[in-house]
Amino acid sequence: MSILIVVSNPRDWPLAMPDVMVISAKAYLTDPAFGSQLRARVFNLCKSYRYQSLGYYVSLLAEARGHKPFPRVNAIEDLHSPGLVRLLTEQLDERVQKSLVALKSDHFELSIYFGRNMAKHYDQLSRQLFNLLQAPLLRAYFDRHGGQWRIRSIKTIAASEIPPQHQDFVVQAAIDYFSGRKPWVPKQIAPRYDLAILHDPNDPEPPSNVKAMKYFEKAAENLGMHVEFITRADMGRLPEFDALFIRDTTYVNHYTYRFSRQASAEGLVVIDDPNSILKCNNKVYLAELMTRHRIPVPRTLLVHRDNVEQVIPALTLPCVLKQPDSSFSLGVAKVTTETELRHKVNELLEKSELIVAQEYLPTEFDWRVGILDRRPLFVCKYFMAPGHWQIVKHGEQKHDYVEGLTKAVSLVEAPVKVVKMALKAANLIGDGLYGVDIKQAGKRCYVIEINDNPNVDAGNEDGILKEDLYQQIMTVFLHRLDRRKQGVQW
């Protein structure tokens, strides 16, 4: 994909950069060669983005041409919004106060070049403003009143407004930003789509281990997609991509959900989609859904402050209490006495008006059925952690945990009843990637939960399909991207 820097006048950007073409706004808008170019990233550094100006039309027509403009037209509209300062003040107040606390003056200007400032101390504030406003060159103005810093205004700046002493830094910031994409090895067919994989490199229990992430990358590239691994700091870059694959533990009140919502709003193909995150992350919803559709689950009671007395008669002891948004065995507790029950219920009800209580079904392992695009993908046995009643036994420290063994089972060998039940349950949520957990007690099976962000680890879930597992997942992305391009809904 070529990189175009579009300026009002090429003399406004007298800075040499490798593999970057600097052109005038007029040339970009009128030269047929740019209109017919299939893939381009367009960095719009014109003097003005006002409505119907050349700068405005550069971003507008770039979107129409299927290019990737920066900023996009919606970002330009945001920059002109009367409520912008209020929005930024609400979202960034803590970071603003922390970043500017040492200043002696009551006024401050912050120049932001591709998310960076010349003073490293202001990098976090610069990055957050950059991610919110999604414009390459910005200047923010701050005033202090009554000991509190406030954003007075913020505006885009043109390439011609970069001070001479800043130019070398801007060039390096731009080069670093452009090269954030890993260069792909030239192939006979150039990559057709750009896939972002969201991950947290510091997560002690990620949904996919490092080796699996490399397999995902390889599978995508084999199908003609370019992959870039992004983190929570990269939300502002979502418009650069065609698809988003979330390989980060998802929660509703969390950046992973905001990434999913934003990507969906931008028209990206997204797994996990926001609807799946909302539904799968709430065990109250899942319990009600399974009951409504007569899918077997352990005896269940939705508990609130007025029906705690019903738990023991309905379920007996021991029983299991679940925080609605629990995951990875966290927020789930087994209680064995009435005192322990009351204490734990009160603790969980401090966080949620409703919690889930279920009968305790001891088993040697849980079935996990991976479902994608309304089809079974893989089956595993998740064995309980040694000496524990759950698959994962957590210690007091974040990185202190023990997992039970995982054994992959072929779809042919897996019990037909387990696979059918998992598929029926997952189809109630959508057509995304799900992991359905099922307990088998004798001849009876019970759905425990549906996970929107199931583990896909090298050496575990891929035990039967090997690298073909990753290929199948990436193929779904490719087919959805092709159908989206053709204007067909999947």
Side-chain angles (χ1 to χ4, degrees):
M1 182 181 293
S2 59
I3 297 173
L4 306 177
I5 289 182
V6 181
V7 291
S8 300
N9 187 319
R11 288 177 297 182
D12 294 340
W13 186 269
L15 311 173
M17 295 181 60
D19 303 319
V20 174
M21 182 182 295
V22 180
I23 60 173
S24 69
K26 186 175 181 180
Y28 179 75
L29 295 173
T30 61
D31 189 332
F34 298 112
S36 61
Q37 192 165 349
L38 294 179
R39 290 171 56 82
R41 296 173 69 196
V42 178
F43 291 85
N44 182 358
L45 304 184
C46 291
K47 289 182 178 178
S48 172
Y49 298 137
R50 64 177 173 78
Y51 184 61
Q52 295 191 339
S53 66
L54 285 177
Y56 180 87
Y57 278 118
V58 165
S59 289
L60 186 67
L61 293 193
E63 291 191 31
R65 293 169 178 174
H67 295 171
K68 296 183 181 296
F70 188 48
R72 299 187 69 173
V73 172
N74 57 0
I76 290 173
E77 295 296 339
D78 288 344
L79 285 162
H80 293 141
S81 167
L84 175 66
V85 171
R86 177 181 54 80
L87 172 68
L88 294 178
T89 300
E90 289 175 354
Q91 296 200 23
L92 299 179
D93 183 67
E94 184 178 348
R95 172 54 56 191
V96 168
Q97 306 309 325
K98 187 174 181 179
S99 299
L100 308 187
V101 66
L103 292 176
K104 303 301 181 185
S105 171
D106 289 332
H107 307 283
F108 179 64
E109 294 181 11
L110 180 69
S111 297
I112 304 166
Y113 305 125
F114 294 90
R116 295 169 58 188
N117 179 263
M118 291 186 67
K120 197 169 184 62
H121 174 73
Y122 300 116
D123 262 1
Q124 289 193 39
L125 177 58
S126 298
R127 185 64 176 268
Q128 290 187 30
L129 284 165
F130 174 74
N131 281 339
L132 285 169
L133 297 174
Q134 302 176 33
L137 305 178
L138 295 161
R139 189 163 291 141
Y141 299 85
F142 301 85
D143 294 329
R144 179 161 49 193
H145 298 285
Q148 292 291 305
W149 284 98
R150 293 288 181 265
I151 299 173
R152 171 167 38 100
S153 63
I154 188 163
K155 68 172 188 175
T156 59
I157 58 177
S160 58
E161 297 178 76
I162 300 170
Q165 64 271 27
H166 291 192
Q167 289 183 357
D168 288 345
F169 179 85
V170 174
V171 168
Q172 189 58 53
I175 290 172
D176 291 346
Y177 185 80
F178 297 153
S179 63
R181 292 182 174 282
K182 289 175 287 193
W184 53 78
V185 177
K187 297 181 176 70
Q188 290 182 338
I189 301 175
R192 290 184 287 164
Y193 302 111
D194 295 305
L195 168 68
I197 300 181
L198 176 64
H199 73 132
D200 177 2
N202 298 314
D203 186 351
E205 298 179 72
S208 289
N209 56 23
V210 173
K211 194 172 183 180
M213 298 289 267
K214 291 179 180 177
Y215 283 144
F216 278 125
E217 182 178 27
K218 179 182 176 182
E221 290 178 345
N222 287 342
L223 294 170
M225 292 184 284
H226 169 64
V227 173
E228 183 169 350
F229 295 101
I230 64 172
T231 67
R232 64 183 301 172
D234 293 312
M235 184 178 287
R237 298 184 55 208
L238 283 175
E240 300 175 21
F241 300 97
D242 302 298
L244 173 67
F245 187 27
I246 300 179
R247 288 284 82 197
D248 193 349
T249 306
T250 53
Y251 300 97
V252 174
N253 190 21
H254 192 244
Y255 68 85
T256 47
Y257 179 68
R258 294 193 291 273
F259 264 79
S260 183
R261 281 287 304 271
Q262 180 67 27
S264 295
E266 294 284 353
L268 278 68
V269 171
V270 184
I271 297 176
D272 305 320
D273 63 274
N275 196 46
S276 293
I277 295 175
L278 269 176
K279 292 178 178 179
C280 291
N281 267 266
N282 194 291
K283 289 177 172 54
V284 170
Y285 173 87
L286 291 177
E288 195 76 6
L289 185 70
M290 296 299 104
T291 300
R292 177 189 168 195
H293 291 274
R294 298 184 179 181
I295 294 176
V297 296
R299 280 182 293 143
T300 300
L301 180 69
L302 297 184
V303 180
H304 48 81
R305 295 188 185 280
D306 297 328
N307 72 342
V308 180
E309 301 294 337
Q310 298 177 25
V311 175
I312 295 177
L315 306 178
T316 71
L317 293 176
C319 69
V320 178
L321 302 176
K322 297 181 177 181
Q323 183 179 312
D325 57 354
S326 57
S327 64
F328 286 107
S329 300
L330 292 169
V332 179
K334 182 177 74 171
V335 294
T336 57
T337 67
E338 183 176 353
T339 301
E340 192 178 5
L341 169 71
R342 291 184 179 280
H343 173 76
K344 195 63 184 181
V345 165
N346 289 333
E347 180 184 315
L348 293 175
L349 287 176
E350 289 296 318
K351 300 176 182 178
S352 174
E353 293 293 332
L354 293 173
I355 63 172
V356 175
Q358 286 186 329
E359 67 173 314
Y360 173 56
L361 294 175
T363 56
E364 183 184 2
F365 64 86
D366 287 352
W367 289 104
R368 162 65 63 88
V369 183
I371 307 288
L372 175 61
D373 210 22
R374 301 190 185 279
R375 290 176 294 179
L377 183 64
F378 64 83
V379 179
C380 287
K381 290 181 176 179
Y382 286 175
F383 289 87
M384 303 302 148
H388 193 55
W389 65 280
Q390 291 173 292
I391 293 163
V392 181
K393 181 180 182 181
H394 289 274
E396 295 187 5
Q397 301 300 317
K398 185 176 182 181
H399 292 262
D400 181 17
Y401 66 93
V402 177
E403 287 185 276
L405 295 175
T406 297
K407 180 183 178 181
V409 178
S410 71
L411 285 169
V412 175
E413 295 175 334
V416 173
K417 185 176 183 178
V418 167
V419 176
K420 283 186 175 180
M421 184 180 288
L423 187 59
K424 182 179 179 181
N427 284 348
L428 296 175
I429 303 296
D431 60 3
L433 175 62
Y434 308 108
V436 183
D437 292 340
I438 293 176
K439 280 189 178 293
Q440 186 175 14
K443 295 182 179 180
R444 304 203 66 181
C445 295
Y446 306 89
V447 171
I448 302 302
E449 61 185 10
I450 307 170
N451 301 278
D452 66 285
N453 192 247
N455 277 58
V456 180
D457 280 322
N460 288 337
E461 288 76 14
D462 65 359
I464 300 297
L465 294 175
K466 307 301 181 184
E467 291 190 37
D468 189 52
L469 174 60
Y470 309 94
Q471 197 80 9
Q472 288 190 36
I473 294 172
M474 290 298 106
T475 298
V476 169
F477 272 103
L478 180 63
H479 288 169
R480 291 185 180 186
L481 285 164
D482 284 343
R483 289 196 290 269
R484 187 197 66 174
K485 189 175 182 179
Q486 296 162 6
V488 178
Q489 293 296 319
W490 54 85

